[in-house]
């Protein structure tokens, strides 16, 4: 039985296909990253996988159940999604935003349990927002805001977390912090992560698998060492590049250095 | 490091609640005491102690002022809640049952019942509700674009209101014998409201208040955007539909009782938001309270400003509300 499956998915907006039949199988406890140029359909694919956009055909299956046929809250307990640029009321305090992440667990009528409270505190600490918990969203920097949203998604405690460009607005330090946090959750709690990243090198460092999209079609899929090569990068992004494998401090990495636009 | 353990907003909300309660009590007392005959405070107390001490005051308070003030309060609650819900659900700061045409739909339906079945006043609120829903559906299909363009909804609402208003005007001319106090009805007035009107609105206010307080949790999640709300397991379409129905019900019962009283649903949620912030758990009950306070005060002014002439309370609301609307426009709405 496959864990999480995108089966012959065709989806788009207003009857226009954006994703033109893609099938993918995700194993439990792996980090997968979707890359591709602007407008290639990364967010669309993620939204369909996260039950925000109904497929024209095909299905999204969580342990063989169609997530669109499942109960709203039952899905939300297991599958979390953070879309690309979420907005919240400017005067919303950080701790309230994070607490909303508990919604699928405590329901709309029950009050906060101790478990809910702990999950919120943990998510706030984990994203380094402890001293900002009573700040309002409007009082945060772009990066802090991004981390507050990630904290909300973490408080939801899903088994599968879908993230659309979770590192935008973050400086290098916080990019690594967020991705290392996800990596830690993946390692310690077997969290399955499917995310969209624009930075190929971050994608290579933190993912077990990279999926490259172009014009709604999957161009490459596999482990980072295989997908990140000069030909694929050229095909997907239309740039010249050099790909290096480096080893430093016992960490080996695949690094793509863009050289320029291909003419 | 835990620098703060309690939300600093807590104090502010308590203070606002206290002021709101004082204003409400003050407004009730003032509104009952003031009018064509002023009743001194002490005599007002005596009215509730023993009706026989001053028969005249007793009649004025019990049969005229008290029901009128209470109807005003309930209508204020209903309209403020309706506006607060619509602004959140439609993601439009200018949404108000009057502005987007829902009140006009309710008004026309109510007027038809008043003309065709003058004996069945209990039918007026349900008919107004149906009218309000029809207007909401028309607006939804013609002009709702997910909240992307604020003015689109307003323009469609203005057009729809004008269209339905034309029917209402025609009816008032053709059936001038059956529709009394047309001017008052079109502007929204509390003149001559009795206990019957109170009993007519009360059940809707109770349903609406309970519904809005339950709905406030959903409104908070909706404020994070449809995608986030769906991701958190909220059935977004169904919730929005039910909340819109609730807003229509609230507006319709207010219109059924007092006519086309405008701007309460626009102003009150904005001012409340300025005072206590946008958390709907607080915004909803506070808006209800301030809605009641506002209509009660406005009606006191409407009654006493040009005494012995009485203005419809809707005219006072328009004097305040229309500039406020312009201010919201000028403040820069996309
Ligand atoms: N809500 C929408 N309605 C209509 N078309 C849309 C909508 N959202 C996206 N599109 C279109 O679908 C295509 C794919 O968009 P998508 O957001 O999936 O791209 P993306 O790969 O995430 O790009 P980016 O890197 O810029 O985020 C684009 O051509 C876009 O114009
Ligand atoms: Mg995108």
């Amino acid at each position: 039985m496959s864990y999480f499956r995108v089966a012959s998915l065709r989806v788009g907006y207003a009857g226009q296909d954006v994703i033109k039949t893609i099938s993918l199988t995700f194993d439990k406890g792996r980090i997968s990253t979707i890359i591709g140029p602007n407008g290639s359909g990364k967010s669309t694919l993620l939204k369909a996988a996260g039950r925000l956009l109904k497929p024209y055909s095909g299905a999204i299956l969580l342990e063989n159940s169609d997530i669109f046929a499942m109960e709203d809250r039952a899905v939300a307990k297991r599958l979390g999604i953070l879309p690309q640029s979420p907005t919240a009321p400017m005067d919303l305090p950080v701790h309230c935003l994070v607490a909303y992440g508990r919604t699928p667990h405590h329901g709309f009528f029950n009050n906060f349990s101790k478990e809910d409270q702990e999950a919120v505190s943990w998510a706030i600490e984990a994203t380094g927002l402890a001293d900002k918990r009573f700040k309002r969203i409007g009082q945060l920097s772009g990066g802090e805001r991004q981390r507050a949203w990630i904290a909300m998604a973490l408080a939801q405690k899903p088994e599968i977390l879908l993230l659309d460009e979770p590192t935008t607005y973050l400086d290098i330090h916080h990019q690594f912090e967020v991705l290392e946090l996800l990596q830690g959750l993946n390692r310690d709690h077997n969290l399955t992560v499917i995310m969209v990243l624009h930075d190929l090198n971050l994608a290579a460092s933190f993912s077990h698998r990279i999926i490259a999209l172009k014009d709604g079609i999957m161009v490459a899929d596999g482990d980072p060492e295989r997908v990140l090569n000069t030909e694929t990068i050229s095909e997907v992004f239309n740039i010249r590049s050099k790909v290096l494998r480096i080893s430093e401090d016992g960490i080996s990495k695949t690094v793509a250095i863009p050289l320029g636009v291909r003419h | 490091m835990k620098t703060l353990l309690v939300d600093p907003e807590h104090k502010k909300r308590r203070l606002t609640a206290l002021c709101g309660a004082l204003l409400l009590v003050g407004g009730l007392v003032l509104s009952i005491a003031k009018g064509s005959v002023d009743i001194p405070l002490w005599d007002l107390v005596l009215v509730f102690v023993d009706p026989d001490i001053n028969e005249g005051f007793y009649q004025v308070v019990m049969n005229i002022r008290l029901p009128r003030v209470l109807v005003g309060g309930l209508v204020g609650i209903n309209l403020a809640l309706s506006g607060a819900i619509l602004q959140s659900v439609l993601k439009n700061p200018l949404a108000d049952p009057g502005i987007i045409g829902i009140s006009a739909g309710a008004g026309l339906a109510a007027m038809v019942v008043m003309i065709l079945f003058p004996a069945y006043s209990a039918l007026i609120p349900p008919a107004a509700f149906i009218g309000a829903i029809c207007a909401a559906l028309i607006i939804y299909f013609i002009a709702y674009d997910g909240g992307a363009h604020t003015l689109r909804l307003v323009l469609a609402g203005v057009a729809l209101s004008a269209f339905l208003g034309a029917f209402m005007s025609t009816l008032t001319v053709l059936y001038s014998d059956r529709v009394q106090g047309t001017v008052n009805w079109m502007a929204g007035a509390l003149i001559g409201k009795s206990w019957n009107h109170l009993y007519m609105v009360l059940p809707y206010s109770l349903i609406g208040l309970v519904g809005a307080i339950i709905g406030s949790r959903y409104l908070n999640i909706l404020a994070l955007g449809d995608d986030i709300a769906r991701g958190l397991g909220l059935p977004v379409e169904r919730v929005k539909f039910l909340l819109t129905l609730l807003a229509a019900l609230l507006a319709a019962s207010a219109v059924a009782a007092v006519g086309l009283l405008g701007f309460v649903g626009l102003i009150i949620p904005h001012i409340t938001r300025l005072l206590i912030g946008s958390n709907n758990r607080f915004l909803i009950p506070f808006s209800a309270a301030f809605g009641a306070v506002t209509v009660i005060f406005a009606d006191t002014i409407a009654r006493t400003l040009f005494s012995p002439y009485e203005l419809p309370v809707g005219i006072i609301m328009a004097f305040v509300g229309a500039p406020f609307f312009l201010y919201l426009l000028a403040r820069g709405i996309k």
Side-chain angles (χ1 to χ4, degrees):
Chain A
M1 185 177 70
S2 53
Y3 179 57
F4 187 58
R5 198 147 71 88
V6 171
S8 318
L9 174 75
R10 199 169 59 80
V11 67
Y13 306 92
Q16 289 283 15
D17 284 9
V18 170
I19 296 294
K20 296 145 191 154
T21 315
I22 286 186
S23 292
L24 292 162
T25 302
F26 296 95
D27 295 329
K28 194 174 171 69
R30 302 252 291 167
I31 299 180
S32 311
T33 299
I34 304 166
I35 60 169
N38 294 138
S40 55
K42 304 180 296 295
S43 298
T44 308
L45 173 60
L46 208 70
K47 276 196 257 177
R51 207 170 175 264
L52 304 183
L53 205 58
K54 222 173 159 69
Y56 294 150
S57 63
I60 312 293
L61 305 166
L62 177 58
E63 292 181 333
N64 285 353
S65 317
D66 183 342
I67 60 169
F68 284 89
M70 289 165 73
E71 211 30 73
D72 296 301
R73 264 176 64 195
V75 178
K77 276 185 201 169
R78 303 184 59 186
L79 181 72
I81 176 161
L82 187 57
Q84 196 162 353
S85 4
T87 52
M90 284 300 155
D91 67 344
L92 180 67
V94 171
H95 71 102
C96 286
L97 175 66
V98 179
Y100 289 149
R102 298 302 296 167
T103 306
H105 296 275
H106 63 67
F108 291 96
F109 296 105
N110 305 322
N111 282 321
F112 243 55
S113 68
K114 194 153 182 289
E115 192 190 340
D116 292 324
Q117 203 54 62
E118 279 166 7
V120 170
S121 298
W122 166 78
I124 289 176
E125 303 279 340
T127 46
L129 289 169
D131 57 337
K132 305 259 170 12
R133 74 170 63 211
F134 291 112
K135 277 261 166 83
R136 321 224 143 234
I137 294 297
Q139 297 169 324
L140 301 181
S141 74
E144 290 163 347
R145 219 172 275 184
Q146 183 74 17
R147 281 186 282 147
W149 282 106
I150 291 169
M152 189 206 77
L154 293 181
Q156 197 176 342
K157 294 236 170 146
E159 316 165 16
I160 306 178
L161 187 53
L162 310 178
L163 302 135
D164 201 344
E165 300 187 25
T167 54
T168 33
Y169 299 117
L170 300 187
D171 62 45
I172 283 205
H173 176 86
H174 286 110
Q175 286 180 9
F176 271 81
E177 212 168 77
V178 163
L179 292 174
E180 280 176 7
L181 173 68
L182 293 174
Q183 199 171 43
L185 292 170
N186 166 262
R187 196 179 47 229
D188 305 336
H189 302 278
N190 215 19
L191 177 74
T192 306
V193 177
I194 304 170
M195 60 185 165
V196 173
L197 291 179
H198 272 302
D199 186 316
L200 301 184
N201 297 327
L202 283 179
S205 312
F206 286 96
S207 322
H208 300 112
R209 173 185 184 186
I210 291 183
I211 297 154
L213 281 193
K214 186 178 189 182
D215 296 331
I217 291 167
M218 193 165 68
V219 180
D221 176 14
D223 48 34
E225 291 75 37
R226 267 215 321 219
V227 172
L228 279 204
N229 60 60
T230 312
E231 294 77 50
T232 309
I233 292 173
S234 159
E235 186 188 347
V236 176
F237 293 101
N238 203 23
I239 55 169
R240 293 176 289 118
S241 63
K242 183 151 180 65
V243 175
L244 306 173
R245 319 242 170 233
I246 55 167
S247 271
E248 190 78 41
D249 298 341
I251 306 170
S252 68
K253 286 196 171 186
T254 306
V255 186
I257 299 164
L259 299 173
V261 173
R262 212 177 54 162
H263 295 288
Chain B
M1 185 181 68
K2 279 179 186 155
T3 40
L4 284 162
L5 286 170
V6 271
D7 189 339
E9 286 297 288
H10 202 69
K11 231 178 175 170
K12 202 161 131 194
R13 281 196 294 262
R14 278 236 287 256
L15 193 68
T16 317
L18 189 68
C19 293
L22 286 177
L23 278 172
L24 190 57
V25 173
L28 280 170
V29 172
L30 184 75
S31 188
I32 293 171
K34 288 280 168 196
S36 47
V37 196
D38 283 349
I39 302 175
L41 203 54
W42 180 241
D43 289 305
L44 188 58
V45 175
L46 289 181
V47 161
F48 290 95
V49 175
D50 183 356
D52 295 328
I53 294 177
N54 189 326
E55 178 68 24
F57 283 167
Y58 181 80
Q59 292 300 339
V60 170
V61 170
M62 285 304 175
N63 293 337
I64 300 173
R65 296 219 186 128
L66 192 56
R68 172 178 187 154
V69 168
L70 293 178
V71 170
L74 290 186
V75 162
I77 290 174
N78 289 11
L79 290 173
L81 288 178
S82 181
I85 293 170
L86 288 174
Q87 284 169 21
S88 290
V89 170
L90 300 174
K91 298 194 178 23
N92 190 323
L94 299 180
D96 159 90
I99 289 170
I100 68 170
I102 287 182
S103 294
L108 179 59
M111 193 175 264
V112 168
V113 172
M114 286 191 282
I115 289 167
L116 295 181
F117 310 102
Y120 300 95
S121 62
L123 285 181
I124 298 175
F129 181 41
I130 293 170
I133 290 172
C134 292
L137 286 176
I138 292 171
I139 288 292
Y140 181 84
F141 285 113
I142 292 180
Y144 188 60
D145 57 2
H149 300 95
T150 308
L151 285 180
R152 203 178 144 124
L153 206 64
V154 175
L155 291 175
V158 168
L160 184 65
S161 297
F163 183 67
L164 298 173
F167 280 100
M168 279 189 265
S169 303
T170 311
L171 286 176
T172 57
V173 173
L174 295 183
Y175 295 92
S176 52
D177 53 327
R178 294 201 199 169
V179 192
Q180 288 128 26
T182 313
V183 174
N184 284 336
W185 163 266
M186 295 299 265
L190 291 165
I191 299 163
K193 294 303 155 193
S194 63
W195 292 105
N196 285 338
H197 292 98
L198 183 72
Y199 301 139
M200 192 170 90
V201 197
L202 188 61
Y204 298 94
S205 292
L206 290 178
I207 295 171
L209 195 58
V210 171
I213 286 171
I214 294 171
S216 62
R217 296 194 179 208
Y218 295 87
L219 289 172
N220 277 344
I221 306 289
L222 282 179
L224 306 177
D226 291 0
D227 280 350
I228 294 279
R230 261 186 219 110
L232 292 174
L234 192 80
V236 171
E237 273 71 32
R238 205 178 332 146
V239 167
K240 281 187 172 179
F241 178 72
L242 290 175
L243 285 167
T244 309
L245 280 192
L246 188 65
L249 183 73
L250 284 161
S253 60
V255 171
V258 303
L260 304 176
L261 174 55
F263 294 110
V264 179
L266 175 75
I267 306 176
I268 302 303
H270 275 281
I271 300 212
T272 313
R273 218 174 277 122
L274 280 180
L275 289 172
I276 56 139
S278 61
N279 183 344
N280 288 284
R281 295 285 295 280
F282 305 106
L283 183 67
I284 289 292
F286 276 87
S287 289
F290 288 132
V293 169
T294 305
V295 172
I296 288 172
F297 268 108
D299 187 49
T300 313
I301 295 169
R303 263 188 293 139
T304 50
L305 193 61
F306 297 113
S307 182
Y309 298 103
E310 274 196 27
L311 292 175
V313 61
I315 289 182
I316 303 291
M317 288 313 303
F319 271 129
V320 186
F324 188 83
F325 180 75
L326 292 175
Y327 156 76
L328 288 178
L329 274 183
R331 207 181 54 175
I333 276 169
K334 303 168 287 280

